[in-house]
Amino acid sequence: MYELYADIFDLKLLLKKNDADKPQAQKNRSERLKTPQTFLPLPELMKIQKNQRILILDDIYTTGRTLMHAHDIFLRAGFKNICTFSLSR
């Protein structure tokens, strides 16, 4: 997904996604909504000032679970201005 946005945004990788039991594309809606937190913060996250705006990028918004998990990590890290963007829904 990085390649989709690399020419548009100055990207910084701040989260690491843990491998899930199976890819999101192979899950039905109910399974997707039950997916536990899949992200861990990278050390680079702590180097960013909390007043910075955060834009979370995704390729396809289906249930919103991926964005919600990422948003939660940033909230817990103390960020307040968090937005999301997806290419498709």
Side-chain angles (χ1 to χ4, degrees):
M1 184 190 63
Y2 182 89
E3 296 81 21
L4 293 172
Y5 296 106
D7 291 338
I8 302 168
F9 298 104
D10 178 21
L11 301 175
K12 291 186 176 89
L13 188 60
L14 302 173
L15 303 178
K16 177 182 186 280
K17 188 167 184 175
N18 288 331
D19 288 331
D21 54 343
K22 62 182 175 180
Q24 289 285 86
Q26 294 178 4
K27 295 179 182 179
N28 63 36
R29 179 174 173 74
S30 177
E31 290 173 320
R32 287 176 186 226
L33 291 172
K34 292 177 186 173
T35 301
Q37 177 59 268
T38 55
F39 291 106
L40 294 171
L42 292 173
E44 290 80 2
L45 181 62
M46 296 306 124
K47 297 175 186 173
I48 297 179
Q49 295 178 6
K50 302 302 184 231
N51 64 346
Q52 290 287 314
R53 290 181 290 173
I54 299 292
L55 176 62
I56 303 169
L57 302 171
D58 200 1
D59 52 356
I60 300 171
Y61 181 106
T62 306
T63 62
R65 198 69 177 151
T66 300
L67 293 174
M68 287 188 294
H69 282 312
H71 187 270
D72 186 52
I73 294 288
F74 289 111
L75 273 180
R76 285 192 272 148
F79 293 91
K80 305 271 187 263
N81 192 352
I82 306 165
C83 298
T84 64
F85 179 82
S86 299
L87 284 177
S88 177
R89 179 173 177 153

